[in-house]
Amino acid sequence: MRNKKMDLRLKLYLIILVPLLVMGGLILWATIHSSENASLMTMQYNNQQLAVNIAAQLGEESTSIRSLYTTSSEQSSEYKKLRDQLIQARHQSGALYVYMYNKTSDGWIYTVDGADWGDAEYSSYGTTFELDSQILERLARGEVVTTGIVDVPIWGQLMSSFTSIKDSQGVITGYLGIDVSAAEVNRVSATTLNNTYRSVIPIFVVVLVLSLLVMLFVVRGILRQVNDIKLSLDQVSNGNLNIVSRHMTNDQLGDISNLINVMVNQLTNILNGIQQGSSMLQQSSKKIAGAALTNDRQSEELSRAIEEIAIGSMKQAEETEHSVQHSENLGNIMNEVGSYVEQFTGTSEQLSALQVQVTRQHEVLLEKSRENAKLVEDQHNISKLLTTRSELAASISGQIYNILKQTQILSLNASIEAARAGEAGKGFGVVANEMGQLAQQSERSIQEIDGILSSFVQEIHRMEAHLDTNMLAVKEQEEQIAECLQSFRQVSQLSTEVRELAHRLESRTINMQSIRQEVEQHLSYIASSTEETSAMSEEVSASAVEQQRSANELSDISGQLTLLADNLKSYSDQFQITSHKSDAD
């Protein structure tokens, strides 16, 4: 940790110090270069003015110059006079060489060399004068030419000025050249540079010291803000959200500190929302588990009720078959009564005994029919209860669907916030993605449950319609059995009065035959109703099995939701956040 702080401090120092040093070096180089150029320009100007002044003095000797061109002899008085003047000018000016030259038909030649008389290496009269053609052309046009410092292999580094010599009428009579040693230029440049150093270096040192002080102050503030930001991010990475990053600098680092505080507050709100959502999810999963358990118990009760209805229907079918057989026996007896009217008195006793037996059986049948009616009514009540429970389960699944939608929205918001958090929120982004996928799976499961509940409610409504029909049939059966009992009672009365009503027996026999046919029709209708009841019992049983399977699936989904809520709570518990009073409420 310490090395990283030192590295950052060193980098900041280098970022500020290196440009200052480079700038100082550039200033020194520019100073040296400017001083050298200024010295060179000064020497060039002075040498040029010297050449112009000497040329003006020599212009007064135009007659001697023309006479020298005529004699072309170094022994002439003109040559000696002119050479003495050049020697004197050289000594007075401190120039290295002073000489005269001229342009002839054969080219440029030396005329007078201002070297000392004892110098054996002087340029004699008529020696070829070599110079750059462009400079010679400019001289021929009457211009004054001053060269820069050139390196001559024989004479070393020097600077030259060339000008024309004119008489009083302005006619060119010759040309003058003055060479100045580069050592003089360097001496002047060194003097100028020293004077410049005395003024520039102190200023640069003062600026450098002030810059270093400002740099130390700025770097100290930056490092304090960076250390605070790093400490805050370390706390956040360790799961501690109970931190506040201090805003120390009014720059981008201060903005980053504010953004860290905003990020921590948003993460705290998100984690509080996740904890509340996980709590709600746990409560909802418990409610779903309870509803699934209730549906399971109701399915078992419905299965038992359907089994009892099926057993009752089978018994009813058996009783109906017995009633049909008794009705056939009754028809045979009535036929015998019709054919043996004369023997009716004796047979009436048998009929009375048979009537008692049939009455007893019909009473039993009536009691069974009432029990069947009661079972059908109980089944009808159970179907209504199942409808109510199914609607309750559908409403609960709707609540769960709303919770899943909120969970999906929460997952999307958490993914966005995790993406904003960058590397620090990558793990939280994975959790948000898993939460969204689980919410989508739960949504599909809820839709399947809604479909199953809808089909179950439709089957229950169909069962209620069949039960209503069966209830009407049972009531009609009760009424018909009651009518049969009433008829048998009438038969009993008739049998007791058979002797007084023998002449009316035939007509009554015909009536009884019609009644018997109606009874047989009603019995056949009851038999068909019993078959329908048995078929509906099988359908209701299948629906009960489907409901039980749906309840098991709902229980499995509840377990998955509970596991998801526990995972969310475990992920959120990894962060240390401050629980506000409003959140607790």
Side-chain angles (χ1 to χ4, degrees), residues 16-214:
I16 300 175
L17 186 59
V18 168
L20 287 175
L21 295 177
V22 172
M23 187 181 299
L26 291 175
I27 292 173
L28 292 177
W29 176 83
T31 301
I32 295 171
H33 186 69
S34 299
S35 178
E36 291 177 351
N37 289 335
S39 301
L40 179 61
M41 291 176 65
T42 301
M43 291 299 296
Q44 286 177 337
Y45 177 76
N46 293 334
N47 196 43
Q48 183 174 327
Q49 291 299 319
L50 177 63
V52 171
N53 293 331
I54 295 175
Q57 294 176 2
L58 293 175
E60 297 176 356
E61 303 293 335
S62 299
T63 303
S64 298
I65 295 172
R66 290 191 178 94
S67 297
L68 178 63
Y69 294 159
T70 303
T71 61
S72 301
S73 171
E74 295 181 356
Q75 301 301 322
S76 65
S77 60
E78 290 85 1
Y79 177 82
K80 294 178 180 179
K81 180 180 179 181
L82 291 173
R83 185 169 180 177
D84 289 335
Q85 288 182 351
L86 293 179
I87 293 171
Q88 183 181 3
R90 179 172 62 82
H91 289 162
Q92 290 178 350
S93 63
L96 184 62
Y97 304 108
V98 179
Y99 47 88
M100 293 174 60
Y101 54 94
N102 193 22
K103 183 179 181 182
T104 64
S105 59
D106 296 329
W108 291 84
I109 61 172
Y110 282 98
T111 56
V112 180
D113 189 354
D116 293 334
W117 289 103
D119 190 353
E121 295 182 357
Y122 79 100
S123 297
S124 61
Y125 184 88
T127 303
T128 302
F129 178 74
E130 295 180 356
L131 192 62
D132 184 80
S133 60
Q134 294 181 353
I135 295 177
L136 294 176
E137 290 177 359
R138 292 174 63 187
L139 289 174
R141 292 196 298 268
E143 297 180 6
V144 179
V145 180
T146 300
T147 65
I149 296 176
V150 296
D151 191 1
V152 180
I154 300 175
W155 312 112
Q157 291 184 343
L158 50 85
M159 179 180 63
S160 303
S161 293
F162 305 99
T163 185
S164 59
I165 302 173
K166 299 179 181 179
D167 59 9
S168 58
Q169 284 76 29
V171 179
I172 297 175
T173 59
Y175 298 93
L176 175 68
I178 298 177
D179 296 337
V180 179
S181 176
E184 183 66 18
V185 177
N186 294 332
R187 184 187 64 79
V188 174
S189 176
T191 303
T192 305
L193 188 61
N194 290 331
N195 294 330
T196 304
Y197 283 161
R198 290 189 183 94
S199 60
V200 172
I201 290 177
I203 296 174
F204 177 73
V205 170
V206 172
V207 172
L208 181 61
V209 171
L210 292 176
S211 300
L212 289 175
L213 293 176
V214 173

Side-chain angles (χ1 to χ4, degrees), residues 564-585:
L564 175 60
D566 293 338
N567 290 334
L568 287 176
K569 191 173 185 304
S570 63
Y571 288 139
S572 62
D573 289 341
Q574 294 178 1
F575 293 89
Q576 300 177 9
I577 58 176
T578 302
S579 297
H580 300 287
K581 184 177 180 181
S582 59
D583 296 337
D585 294 340

